[in-house]
Amino acid sequence: MEQTTELIILVATLLVGVWLGYLMRQSLVKKRAGTIEAKLSKKIENVRQESEALLKDAKEKSSKLVAQTEQEVDQRRREFLKAQQILLDRETLLDKKISNIETKEEEFKQKVEKLKDVLNQIDKLRVETEEKLEKIAKFSREEAKNEL
């Protein structure tokens, strides 16, 4: 019986030792897990902060780029409108010059017609004058040449 009691005490001690060892192991695992979780949490927080900083930086750069692009577009638009106005002014000037040339051309045609009329009248007057001279002189032109 003494052996049985010793055996029971030994088994009970062994069971208590295993159980205490298990509890200690669980305690150590929890401590290590806590430190690993803390490290992971710290790394996650660092990564989150870095990503927020990068996102903020990217937003600033993109807003600067958008502003710069808008300024360039506005400048090009102003240059385009200025060039368009210059072209419109030149077109207006050319239209005026063409109109003046057409007016002068029409005036020139009218003067040419008047000159033709005047030349026709001069020819008629010359013919009439020659006829009158022939009647007065009683010589024809041919006869007058021969006489001279």
Side-chain angles (χ1 to χ4, degrees), residues 62-118:
S62 67
S63 65
K64 285 180 183 179
L65 184 61
V66 166
Q68 183 182 7
T69 303
E70 286 176 353
Q71 286 177 349
E72 289 176 4
V73 166
D74 287 342
Q75 181 181 357
R76 288 181 180 171
R77 185 178 292 127
R78 283 191 300 272
E79 290 173 359
F80 174 75
L81 290 175
K82 184 178 178 181
Q84 189 176 18
Q85 185 61 43
I86 290 171
L87 288 174
L88 287 174
D89 292 345
R90 286 181 180 174
E91 184 178 358
T92 303
L93 181 64
L94 285 174
D95 286 344
K96 286 180 182 179
K97 286 183 178 184
I98 288 172
S99 177
N100 285 340
I101 289 172
E102 287 173 348
T103 304
K104 288 180 180 181
E105 185 180 6
E106 188 61 36
E107 289 174 359
F108 180 74
K109 285 179 181 178
Q110 290 175 357
K111 287 180 181 179
V112 167
E113 286 298 317
K114 285 182 182 180
L115 185 60
K116 285 180 181 178
D117 289 343
V118 168

Side-chain angles (χ1 to χ4, degrees), residues 16-27:
V16 169
V18 169
W19 184 67
L20 286 175
Y22 175 76
L23 288 177
M24 288 177 70
R25 172 93 171 117
Q26 288 296 327
S27 175

